[in-house]
Amino acid sequence: PCLHHRHAALPTNHTNLYSEAKALFEDDARRLWVATEDGALRLFDTENKLIGFVNNKGEVGANKSYFGNISVIYQGRKGNIWISTDKLLLELIELDKNHFSIKKCQASEPEFQPLSHYFSEIMEDSKGHLWLASSNGGLHLLKQTESGYRFIHKENLLKFQ
């Protein structure tokens, strides 16, 4: 969705937000997620008021904390939030308005490690497959298994005809 349709203007009362913003996303609840260069992850309501900072334990609070070097935020059809940092792909599942469960998406087997952890795009296709793009690792298809995740890419099973 376009941010300007629901958020008439980005929040202006937060120091250096414009120069530091690295990733923006509006979720289905119309909250604005803003990741900044300092590793903070801010969450705003539809009135552009700061709900709080999301920390790396999944808690939303008033204190600024380091979440990670975030490159992209995406919400899948099931409502889960996917976040890519320079070190991990994370899945956030909302438990209540101030708490998220955070699941680290780690490869279950060595041959299914991602070629890059820093993804620039995340999207879900019409069949529910999660696709990840990176400039230095190419295209990845994320598959969940009983023991973890498989990052399918050009070095293992991803083949195009």
Side-chain angles (χ1 to χ4, degrees), residues 13-67:
N13 59 342
H14 296 276
T15 308
N16 295 328
L17 189 58
Y18 293 113
S19 63
E20 294 181 4
K22 292 187 71 176
L24 295 172
F25 182 77
E26 184 180 62
D27 67 19
D28 291 342
R30 296 175 43 197
R31 296 172 297 196
L32 182 64
W33 298 68
V34 180
T36 52
E37 283 183 20
D38 60 3
L41 180 57
R42 293 167 172 86
L43 199 53
F44 293 91
D45 67 16
T46 57
E47 302 297 318
N48 295 328
K49 291 186 173 84
L50 181 67
I51 296 169
F53 296 88
V54 182
N55 67 24
N56 56 15
K57 294 177 184 168
E59 303 161 336
V60 180
N63 296 327
K64 184 176 172 181
S65 64
Y66 184 80
F67 188 92

Side-chain angles (χ1 to χ4, degrees), residues 56-91:
N56 56 15
K57 294 177 184 168
E59 303 161 336
V60 180
N63 296 327
K64 184 176 172 181
S65 64
Y66 184 80
F67 188 92
N69 187 11
I70 297 171
S71 59
V72 66
I73 306 166
Y74 177 80
Q75 186 172 31
R77 280 189 271 163
K78 294 179 181 176
N80 299 349
I81 302 291
W82 297 88
I83 294 178
S84 177
T85 73
D86 57 341
K87 295 183 174 54
L88 289 168
L89 177 66
L90 304 167
E91 180 182 13

